[in-house]
Amino acid sequence: MKIKVATRVNEAREFLKRKREAGGTIGLVPTMGFLHEGHLSLVRRAMGENDTCVVSIFVNPLQFGPSEDFDAYPRDMGRDLDLLASEGVELVFAPGVDEMFSPDHSTIVSEKKLSGFLCGSARPGHFDGVCTIVLKLFNILRPDRAYFGEKDYQQLQVIRRMVRDLDLEVKVIGCPIVREEDGLALSSRNTYLGEAEREQAIALSRALAQARSVFDAGERGCRSILDVVRMVVESYPMVSLEYAEIRDAVDLSPVKRVDRKVVVAVAARIGRARLIDNTILCP
Ligand code: PAF
């Protein structure tokens, strides 16, 4: 089947309306393009669980701060379409900014509890931008299921909360982080890393692996686990830690001891890349 690329909202709606009328389920993989194996793992899952898989490719200006990398964000539509065609994806929704936002666009969706810390501190307004675009994608494409990577763990929880709070009829599915052989979590932003920076970028996954091993050895105190995380990151001189925190895995509230399922989340800057990673600990 030839891949269909819809750049217009109505085109995508029409295509999916026919699929829905034929009784088919729809799985959505929202992306900002420059696809890697992490995205493709979501696509494969969506293809396996739905009759139609739609992938959206849209670099959403609303979720970038004024001094962030919107213009520099890597883009390669030709390569993305080739990859998705070889996975057998039926529909790609790839609108331009003008198609998604009227010049006088003035409605923002804002989640108020889970968005103000971790990545929300360094990127004010980021999750408003994410919620707004994801809700628009849900309204346009009306998927039965939507697939998000667990690398963006806070994003996943914020979207789950939005779906619950606004009674959206979509099932949100989180999928495991895909890593390079040395542990680096796949991210489109890894392309910003120079050779030496790339070598140092393993700091994040190494630190999380170390957190896991002290946890496995019996440590439950968050302060001690985070001391280990910081120590590992500090041993990589090109890596500047932005945050290392342990929070409840569902509501992201701060925790002192690992007495329930928690997420250990880290963000760091390496050259011009800002990278995030996380791991779940479950007592
Ligand atoms: O995770 C991403 O790539 C983006 O935040 C998303 C969910 C596609 C919204 O623009």
Side-chain angles (χ1 to χ4, degrees):
M1 198 181 314
K2 203 173 166 308
I3 192 163
K4 161 140 181 98
V5 183
T7 56
R8 300 273 172 213
V9 167
N10 281 342
E11 229 183 322
R13 277 200 165 129
E14 277 304 311
F15 184 93
L16 292 173
K17 188 165 166 250
R18 283 195 295 276
K19 299 287 172 190
R20 218 173 282 115
E21 280 169 0
T25 56
I26 294 162
L28 167 66
V29 181
T31 80
M32 299 205 300
F34 211 71
L35 305 178
H36 49 65
E37 273 300 313
H39 296 112
L40 297 181
S41 73
L42 308 181
V43 167
R44 288 173 197 137
R45 176 107 187 249
M47 303 255 315
E49 295 180 353
N50 301 276
D51 299 302
T52 298
C53 171
V54 50
V55 177
S56 63
I57 299 182
F58 181 66
V59 185
N60 169 30
L62 229 53
Q63 70 188 73
F64 289 80
S67 56
E68 288 185 2
D69 56 343
F70 175 72
D71 290 328
Y73 196 84
R75 292 159 170 89
D76 191 342
M77 188 61 81
R79 183 175 155 277
D80 288 348
L81 294 180
D82 287 346
L83 284 169
L84 295 175
S86 54
E87 294 295 330
V89 167
E90 271 186 78
L91 175 67
V92 172
F93 178 51
V97 173
D98 297 349
E99 181 69 5
M100 290 303 269
F101 296 112
S102 309
D104 60 350
H105 172 96
S106 57
T107 305
I108 295 292
V109 183
S110 193
E111 188 288 321
K112 297 290 190 193
K113 276 270 157 58
L114 315 181
S115 301
F117 43 81
L118 298 176
C119 289
S121 307
R123 309 186 70 191
H126 168 69
F127 289 112
D128 289 359
V130 169
C131 285
T132 306
I133 196 66
V134 169
L135 181 60
K136 280 170 70 69
L137 291 168
F138 286 173
N139 284 334
I140 293 165
L141 305 167
R142 296 183 44 211
D144 298 279
R145 301 184 186 86
Y147 298 81
F148 296 87
E150 284 172 354
K151 182 176 72 70
D152 297 290
Y153 192 83
Q154 186 178 15
Q155 165 174 283
L156 176 62
Q157 299 311 319
V158 168
I159 290 169
R160 285 192 199 285
R161 178 63 63 95
M162 173 181 78
V163 165
R164 186 200 76 180
D165 289 350
L166 301 183
D167 305 296
L168 306 181
E169 274 192 306
V170 56
K171 189 167 188 311
V172 172
I173 295 165
C175 302
I177 299 175
V178 179
R179 298 179 180 281
E180 301 279 8
E181 238 166 69
D182 66 358
L184 177 66
L186 295 192
S187 163
S188 305
R189 287 189 169 97
N190 290 350
T191 165
Y192 295 152
L193 299 169
E195 210 174 306
E197 291 165 348
R198 169 64 188 83
E199 279 173 25
Q200 299 243 320
I202 52 163
L204 284 79
S205 58
R206 289 279 156 88
L208 294 170
Q210 202 54 38
R212 174 171 298 285
S213 56
V214 294
F215 168 77
D216 287 342
E219 181 61 64
R220 292 292 179 268
C222 292
R223 192 179 292 178
S224 307
I225 297 174
L226 290 172
D227 281 346
V228 169
V229 169
R230 284 190 206 100
M231 212 173 62
V232 174
V233 174
E234 276 162 19
S235 69
Y236 293 84
M238 295 172 96
V239 182
S240 153
L241 189 64
E242 185 185 287
Y243 66 71
E245 291 193 38
I246 300 182
R247 288 185 174 255
D248 180 278
V250 177
D251 67 13
L252 302 182
S253 58
V255 289
K256 288 203 162 63
R257 289 188 64 72
V258 187
D259 50 8
R260 65 196 108 149
K261 191 173 160 191
V262 301
V263 58
V264 189
V266 292
R269 293 191 182 268
I270 311 172
R272 66 191 185 96
R274 178 182 179 279
L275 303 182
I276 59 175
D277 200 350
N278 69 79
T279 193
I280 299 289
L281 300 179
C282 202

